[in-house]
Amino acid sequence: MEGDPLKKSLAWLHGVLQGKIGHGIETRVLQGLQVIHAERGFMQFGFIVPNVVSDVDGNWHVGALASLLDLVGAITTFSYANCVSTVADFNASYYSTEHVEIESRVMADKGKLIHVVVQVRKKGNGEGLRSNFIILGSSMAMFIRI
């Protein structure tokens, strides 16, 4: 595990999920997140939005959604670049709340700048990808390799 960034990123994620590292808010935001598939620079998750991150109307709280996108993007970036990064640009388009699947993928690597896209879709209804999108997040991460 020492040099394997994928294993380190998954260990980091599991530490956050179990509340052993990070802050309590991260554990709450990711409560119930399940890794479906993981490889270098790509991760897929299953997730049911928990009540603890819903607003007074029962909708996914936008702050919790942004935190989830940021955390999933950071873990995917780490699995690819083997280092912690600083987000230089963050975008999210929000459409609905559902039982969801999350995919995070490194789309481009330009030396010290990595582009990660996080897609959140309705879980397995068989429709086309466009109609399945709930959230589309994009971040540009800057880092210094040590």
Side-chain angles (χ1 to χ4, degrees):
M1 176 165 131
E2 177 116 359
D4 186 347
L6 178 61
K7 287 183 181 178
K8 287 195 283 188
S9 66
L10 290 172
W12 175 24
L13 173 61
H14 290 295
V16 171
L17 290 172
Q18 296 168 358
K20 294 179 179 177
I21 58 175
H23 300 88
I25 188 71
E26 291 131 345
T27 302
R28 278 191 217 159
V29 165
L30 298 177
Q31 179 183 328
L33 186 75
Q34 297 177 334
V35 178
I36 295 171
H37 180 81
E39 59 187 67
R40 183 178 182 258
F42 174 79
M43 296 197 180
Q44 186 177 33
F45 306 92
F47 186 66
I48 297 174
V49 180
N51 290 336
V52 71
V53 296
S54 297
D55 64 17
V56 294
D57 297 320
N59 296 316
W60 198 350
H61 189 279
V62 71
L65 146 70
S67 294
L68 180 133
L69 293 176
D70 187 40
L71 291 163
V72 167
I75 290 163
T76 304
T77 301
F78 191 94
S79 78
Y80 181 83
N82 198 22
C83 66
V84 177
S85 60
T86 301
V87 174
D89 182 43
F90 183 82
N91 272 298
S93 298
Y94 176 66
Y95 301 104
S96 177
T97 61
E98 299 284 336
H99 184 147
V100 297
E101 292 178 343
I102 303 164
E103 283 187 7
S104 182
R105 181 183 307 264
V106 171
M107 300 301 288
D109 179 354
K110 300 294 182 185
K112 292 184 180 182
L113 188 64
I114 291 180
H115 180 219
V116 176
V117 172
V118 180
Q119 300 173 348
V120 181
R121 292 187 209 88
K122 293 178 186 176
K123 176 123 174 135
N125 66 358
E127 297 175 18
L129 286 181
R130 284 210 186 271
S131 61
N132 282 344
F133 275 124
I134 295 171
I135 304 148
L136 181 60
S138 176
S139 67
M140 297 292 283
M142 295 180 67
F143 61 93
I144 298 171
R145 287 196 172 118
I146 299 175

